[in-house]
C-alpha cells in the first residue's frame, strides 16, 4: 500500500506522536493535582490524588483509543468535525471510566459513595470544560492555518509565474535554432516541449515522482540538444521508484538552475547529475552541477527556483520536508528531502544511466 502524502495527513495523526502523548499524560497529572489541592476536600488528599490521577489517565487513554479505532472513518472528514467528534469521545470515555472505576473501587471502600458522586461530577465538568476550550482553540488554530495556507498559495502562484515562462521561452528559442538545420530533432524537441507546457500549465499541485523525473529528463534532453557536448548528464536512480507524490515542477526547476548557473557560464561546459536515494524514513532527490571558475557570481542566481521549490515542499509535507543547498569541491548541490516510508510498495524505475 503506497504511503499517504504528508499533506493528506489527518489532524488526529498528531495524537499518536510521542511528544503529544507525553503532554497528555503530564496535563492529566496537573489536573489531578489541582483537584487534590482544591479547598473543602474531606477525603485523604494523597488517596484522592492517586484515584484522580488513575481516573484522568484512563480517560485520556480511553479517548485516544476510541479515536484510534475510528481513525479510518475520521480520515476523510473536515478537521472541525473531527474536533467535535473528539469532544464527544472525551465525554464518553469519561463516563465509561467513571462507571468502571465506581464498580471496581466501591467494594474497597477507598471512596465513599457520596464522595465518588461528587468526584464524578467534578471530573465530568472538568472534561467538558477542557474539551470545549480545546475545541475553541482548535477552531481558532484551524482558521489561522487556512488563512496561512491561502496566503502561501498566493505566494507560490507568484513564484511559479516567475519561473515558468523562463524555461518555456528558452526551450522555444532552442527549437527555433534547430528547425532548419535538424528538423527531426526539432520535432522531437517540440514533442518534449508539449509535455513541459502541459505540466507548466497544469492545475495539479502534485504528481508522481516518476512523472516529475520524466519531465526533468525531457528538459535536460532539450538542453543537451542546445548545448551539445558542453552538457554531460548523469542519472543515478534506483531500480524501483517509490509511489510518492511531489510538487509539480519541483525537480525540473533545480535542473534548470543547474544549466543556467553552472553549465551555460562555463566555456568548457560541465556536468549535471540527478540522484534519488530512498531511505527508511526519508526520500532524497539531489541535483548537482559543476560550477564555473567565477562561482561567486553564479551562486546568487539559484534563488528564484529554490524559493518556489522550497515553499511547495514545505507546504506539501507540513514542514517535515525541505530543500537544502551547499557548494563543495566546485559543485553546487540542491537536495529535496521528503518524509517517506521505505516499506511501502514502489513502482519500477529506470536504471542508472550516464550520458
Amino acid at each position: 500500500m503506497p504511503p499517504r502524502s504528508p499533506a493528506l495527513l489527518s489532524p488526529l495523526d498528531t495524537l499518536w506522536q510521542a511528544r503529544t502523548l507525553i503532554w497528555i499524560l503530564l496535563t492529566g497529572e496537573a489536573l489531578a493535582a489541582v483537584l487534590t489541592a482544591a479547598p473543602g476536600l474531606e477525603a485523604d488528599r494523597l488517596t484522592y490524588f492517586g484515584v484522580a490521577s488513575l481516573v484522568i489517565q484512563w480517560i485520556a487513554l480511553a479517548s485516544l483509543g476510541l479515536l484510534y479505532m475510528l481513525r479510518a472513518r475520521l480520515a476523510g472528514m473536515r478537521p472541525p468535525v473531527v474536533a467535535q467528534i473528539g469532544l464527544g469521545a472525551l465525554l464518553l470515555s469519561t463516563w465509561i471510566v467513571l462507571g468502571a472505576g465506581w464498580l471496581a473501587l466501591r467494594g474497597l471502600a477507598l471512596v465513599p459513595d457520596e464522595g465518588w458522586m461528587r468526584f464524578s461530577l467534578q471530573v465530568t465538568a472538568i472534561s467538558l470544560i477542557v474539551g470545549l476550550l480545546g475545541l475553541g482553540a482548535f477552531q481558532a488554530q484551524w482558521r489561522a492555518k487556512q488563512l496561512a495556507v491561502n496566503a502561501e498559495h498566493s505566494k507560490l502562484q507568484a513564484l511559479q509565474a516567475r519561473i515558468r515562462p523562463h524555461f518555456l521561452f528558452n526551450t522555444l528559442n532552442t527549437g527555433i535554432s534547430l528547425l532548419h538545420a535538424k528538423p527531426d530533432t526539432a520535432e522531437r524537441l517540440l514533442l518534449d516541449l508539449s509535455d513541459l507546457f502541459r505540466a507548466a500549465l497544469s492545475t495539479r499541485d502534485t504528481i508522481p515522482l516518476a512523472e516529475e523525473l520524466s519531465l526533468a529528463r525531457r528538459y535536460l534532453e532539450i538542453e543537451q540538444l542546445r548545448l551539445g557536448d558542453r552538457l554531460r548528464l548523469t542519472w543515478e536512480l534506483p531500480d524501483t521508484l517509490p509511489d510518492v507524490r511531489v510538487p509539480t515542477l519541483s525537480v525540473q526547476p533545480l535542473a534548470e538552475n543547474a544549466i543556467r548557473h553552472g553549465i551555460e557560464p562555463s566555456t568548457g561546459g560541465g556536468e549535471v547529475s540527478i540522484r534519488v536515494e530512498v531511505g527508511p524514513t526519508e526520500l532524497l532527490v539531489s541535483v548537482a552541477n559543476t560550477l564555473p571558475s567565477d562561482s561567486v557570481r553564479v551562486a546568487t542566481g539559484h534563488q528564484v527556483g529554490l524559493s518556489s521549490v522550497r515553499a511547495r515542499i514545505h507546504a506539501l509535507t507540513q514542514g517535515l520536508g525541505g530543500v537544502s543547498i551547499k557548494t563543495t569541491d566546485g559543485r553546487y548541490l540542491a537536495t529535496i528531502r521528503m518524509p517517506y516510508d521505505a516499506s511501502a510498495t514502489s513502482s519500477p524505475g529506470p536504471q542508472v544511466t550516464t550520458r
Side-chain angles (χ1 to χ4, degrees):
M1 182 177 179
R4 277 191 299 171
S5 170
L8 300 178
L9 292 176
S10 167
L12 291 177
D13 290 335
T14 58
L15 295 178
W16 327 134
Q17 298 176 359
R19 179 180 299 180
T20 304
L21 293 175
I22 292 174
W23 274 110
I24 289 175
L25 294 177
L26 292 178
T27 302
E29 292 302 299
L31 283 175
V34 170
L35 286 174
T36 304
L41 182 64
E42 298 178 358
D44 179 72
R45 292 187 181 272
L46 183 60
T47 302
Y48 192 88
F49 175 78
V51 175
S53 178
L54 178 66
V55 171
I56 291 174
Q57 297 299 352
W58 270 108
I59 290 174
L61 293 175
S63 301
L64 291 174
L66 285 175
L67 293 175
Y68 188 80
M69 289 188 295
L70 296 174
R71 66 189 186 282
R73 295 180 177 272
L74 299 178
M77 298 183 180
R78 296 179 63 251
V81 177
V82 174
Q84 295 172 5
I85 295 177
L87 175 60
L90 176 62
L91 292 177
L92 179 60
S93 300
T94 300
W95 298 329
I96 292 175
V97 171
L98 287 174
W102 180 76
L103 292 175
L105 299 178
R106 62 174 180 172
L108 300 178
L110 291 178
V111 180
D113 291 341
E114 62 275 13
W116 186 265
M117 179 62 66
R118 179 182 177 184
F119 173 75
S120 298
L121 292 176
Q122 288 178 338
V123 173
T124 301
I126 290 174
S127 296
L128 180 60
I129 293 173
V130 171
L132 289 175
L133 289 175
L135 180 61
F138 176 83
Q139 290 178 340
Q141 183 184 20
W142 175 251
R143 285 193 293 268
K145 184 176 181 180
Q146 291 300 102
L147 292 175
V149 168
N150 292 336
E152 187 70 19
H153 184 67
S154 299
K155 181 180 178 180
L156 294 181
Q157 286 182 329
L159 287 170
Q160 291 172 3
R162 294 175 62 189
I163 193 171
R164 287 176 176 174
H166 174 79
F167 82 84
L168 293 176
F169 291 146
N170 270 2
T171 307
L172 282 175
N173 290 333
T174 302
I176 292 173
S177 65
L178 294 172
L179 188 59
H180 297 291
K182 299 179 180 180
D184 293 339
T185 303
E187 180 182 1
R188 189 181 70 184
L189 180 146
L190 291 176
L191 291 175
D192 290 339
L193 178 60
S194 67
D195 291 330
L196 291 173
F197 258 115
R198 188 177 299 110
L201 301 177
S202 173
T203 57
R204 293 185 300 170
D205 294 329
T206 62
I207 59 176
L209 175 62
E211 185 175 344
E212 176 61 30
L213 291 175
S214 178
L215 291 174
R217 183 184 293 273
R218 286 184 172 90
Y219 171 79
L220 289 172
E221 288 176 348
I222 290 174
E223 292 290 32
Q224 192 162 52
L225 291 175
R226 180 171 66 93
L227 298 171
D229 294 337
R230 294 180 58 204
L231 173 60
R232 297 179 295 277
L233 298 178
T234 301
W235 292 81
E236 299 182 34
L237 307 180
D239 294 336
T240 57
L241 289 173
D243 293 328
V244 63
R245 300 185 72 85
V246 298
T248 304
L249 293 180
S250 55
V251 179
Q252 184 278 331
L254 301 184
E256 180 184 353
N257 281 335
I259 297 294
R260 286 190 63 198
H261 308 292
I263 309 305
E264 286 183 347
S266 177
T267 56
E271 179 184 358
V272 174
S273 61
I274 296 182
R275 182 179 184 181
V276 176
E277 300 176 74
V278 181
T281 59
E282 284 188 335
L283 170 70
L284 302 178
V285 182
S286 303
V287 179
N289 63 272
T290 54
L291 290 172
S293 57
D294 188 9
S295 58
V296 176
R297 179 181 64 84
V298 300
T300 58
H302 291 75
Q303 298 309 310
V304 174
L306 281 172
S307 297
S308 173
V309 176
R310 180 179 288 113
R312 286 182 287 154
I313 292 292
H314 187 274
L316 176 65
T317 63
Q318 297 180 345
L320 299 178
V323 179
S324 62
I325 59 174
K326 66 178 181 178
T327 303
T328 178
D329 297 330
R331 293 174 64 86
Y332 185 93
L333 176 66
T335 302
I336 296 175
R337 174 178 50 84
M338 297 185 63
Y340 173 70
D341 181 6
S343 64
T345 305
S346 300
S347 58
Q351 301 289 335
V352 175
T353 59
T354 302
R355 297 183 58 183

